[in-house]
Amino acid sequence: MSQSSHHDPATSPASLRHRAEAHATAFPALLAQAEHLASTVLLGEHGRKRAGMGDEFWQYRPTQHGDGLRDIDWRRSARSDATFVRQKEWQAAQSVMLWVDDAMSMSFSGGKDRPTKGHRARVIAMALCVLLNKGGERFGLADRGTPPRRGEGQLTRIAGHLMNAQGEAEYGTPNARVLPAGSRAVFISDFLGDPTKVEHALTAATDRGVRGALVQILDPDEEAFPYDGRTVFESMSGAIKFETLKANSLRDAYLERLALRKARLQDLARKTGWRYLCHHTNDPATKALLWLYQSLERGAS
């Protein structure tokens, strides 16, 4: 749980307009940050140039939201009540689906000199999309109805979704049901919610042949627990509140639980063939992006 102040969400028309204008202002800033961050990572051999990949037929898959009429294989669909898309091998291997946690817990920052966890997650996700787009790969959001595509239009759509996303749940849970079989995926979150939900999602993804990476984003205060004396701890939604006169007496127990949580995620990634990284918001985002980009390349080789 993070120490924070709670602000009730405003619902008046004036407030909604103000928030909309703020998002509109931040939209180009997010793209600019992502472009700058992506420019620091050297593009290597990627996409369809990878050895062993080609235009060979791989599988039929049911049509998804966003597929066009020209994508449908009408001959195969005529033999069934459903419609199917003829998917090439490189199309599946090049698809990278991202889940970026937008839950309330991600809006925490322990200091004015560093971004919130959510902002750092969005910047890393957008920068990764920029790199994937330059490499000719397709990318999409797992929970926003954006199937994997490439191009500047897709970058704009994803940036818009990320800037306007604000979940009402205290903690987020990845959705593995929409991940294309055989694709790659990236889950970016603080992973401070129910760990069994993450385990179920990752297991379901792995069963579909999906491999990828978990990026756990934490604020330094969540790692160090620098609280002492009388302290009021409040969840970002305000639903949970706890006051203590001796915050330092909770430090050891808290740090032990956090270490167990991180070890559980690492073990889960190891068992499912995924990769795990813990990134702190006071560290350069470049480090996380480079690790993530290289992890996806190794995972697709």
Side-chain angles (χ1 to χ4, degrees), residues 46 50 53 92-96 137 182-185 209-213 273-275 291-301:
H46 217 63
R50 186 178 295 112
M53 309 307 290
Q94 284 184 308
S95 295
V96 178
E137 302 209 32
S183 63
R184 286 164 291 158
V210 177
R211 294 293 183 273
W274 284 48
R275 291 181 170 84
W291 176 91
L292 188 52
Y293 186 68
Q294 293 175 339
S295 294
L296 289 176
E297 280 204 319
R298 288 197 299 269
S301 59

Side-chain angles (χ1 to χ4, degrees), residues 45-170:
E45 284 298 313
H46 217 63
R48 296 184 62 178
K49 297 179 181 179
R50 186 178 295 112
M53 309 307 290
D55 287 339
E56 296 299 318
F57 168 72
W58 183 51
Q59 69 170 8
Y60 290 109
R61 65 163 174 80
T63 53
Q64 300 173 345
H65 175 71
D67 289 331
L69 289 176
R70 65 181 180 179
D71 299 321
I72 297 175
D73 189 296
W74 296 105
R75 182 174 298 180
R76 170 64 182 85
S77 301
R79 303 198 302 268
S80 173
D81 293 333
T83 52
F84 292 87
V85 169
R86 184 181 178 90
Q87 193 171 25
K88 307 276 183 72
E89 181 182 15
W90 70 268
Q91 290 177 321
Q94 284 184 308
S95 295
V96 178
M97 299 296 289
L98 295 91
W99 172 68
V100 184
D101 192 351
D102 64 357
M104 299 292 287
S105 67
M106 295 296 287
S107 61
F108 174 72
S109 174
K112 296 180 179 180
D113 59 335
R114 51 185 180 264
T116 65
K117 294 181 290 183
H119 182 270
R120 177 57 58 86
R122 291 189 291 272
V123 169
I124 291 175
M126 272 309 307
L128 178 63
C129 289
V130 170
L131 287 177
L132 294 171
N133 191 54
K134 289 181 178 180
E137 302 209 32
R138 304 189 309 169
F139 47 92
L141 295 178
D143 59 345
R144 293 290 161 183
T146 54
R149 296 182 182 278
R150 59 176 166 268
E152 294 301 316
Q154 181 75 336
L155 286 174
T156 301
R157 278 189 293 273
I158 288 182
H161 282 307
L162 291 178
M163 286 309 307
N164 289 303
Q166 180 55 71
E168 297 180 355
E170 193 76 69

